[in-house]
């Protein structure tokens, strides 16, 4: 194998490793809530995960009908940051490794 082939293989491995490091590896789960209005939950989801009102409404409705919903997929730090925002109003959440 030529040295250029070895370097290309090494570059590919580094690129794949970099992509895997940035790939979502955690889910932020939000649970159904009977203590807040739907509007309050939607506003807090928007604030936490920086999504559209439509997306926040979908997340809220899924949690309402099934008991839980994935609010965000991302790194552990991203999920924990968003989790703290959701928990500001005492929403129940959990961060799971994918």
């Amino acid at each position: 194998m030529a040295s250029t082939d070895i370097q290309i293989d090494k570059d590919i491995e580094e690129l794949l490793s970099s992509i895997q490091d940035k790939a979502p590896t955690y889910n932020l789960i939000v649970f159904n809530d009977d203590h807040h209005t739907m509007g309050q939950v939607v506003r807090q989801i928007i604030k936490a995960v920086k999504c559209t009102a439509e997306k926040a409404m979908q997340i809220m409705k899924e949690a309402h009908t099934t008991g839980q919903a994935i609010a965000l997929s991302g790194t552990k730090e991203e999920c924990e940051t968003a989790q703290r925002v959701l928990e500001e109003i005492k929403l129940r959440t959990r961060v799971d490794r994918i």
Side-chain angles (χ1 to χ4, degrees):
M1 186 181 280
S3 65
T4 56
D5 290 339
I6 293 171
Q7 184 59 44
I8 290 171
D9 288 345
K10 184 179 175 189
D11 290 345
I12 290 171
E13 286 178 24
E14 288 176 6
L15 178 62
L16 289 174
S17 177
S18 172
I19 290 169
Q20 288 172 343
D21 289 344
K22 294 177 183 170
T25 54
Y26 289 83
N27 284 332
L28 171 58
I29 309 297
V30 63
F31 293 93
N32 184 43
D33 179 85
D34 293 327
H35 305 288
H36 296 86
T37 67
M38 291 180 176
Q40 289 171 318
V41 174
V42 167
R43 281 190 296 279
Q44 202 68 11
I45 291 170
I46 292 168
K47 182 179 175 184
V49 303
K50 315 265 189 294
C51 65
T52 64
E54 292 77 18
K55 179 65 177 171
M57 186 68 96
Q58 288 174 351
I59 294 166
M60 181 275 302
K61 283 182 181 178
E62 182 178 343
H64 183 71
T65 58
T66 68
Q68 66 183 40
I70 296 172
L72 178 69
S73 294
T75 66
K76 184 177 182 181
E77 295 76 22
E78 291 168 333
C79 289
E80 288 175 344
T81 298
Q83 181 182 38
R84 285 189 292 276
V85 175
L86 291 174
E87 290 179 349
E88 287 174 354
I89 65 167
K90 309 292 187 242
L91 293 175
R92 194 165 60 95
T93 65
R94 183 179 73 223
V95 174
D96 288 341
R97 185 166 174 78
I98 298 175

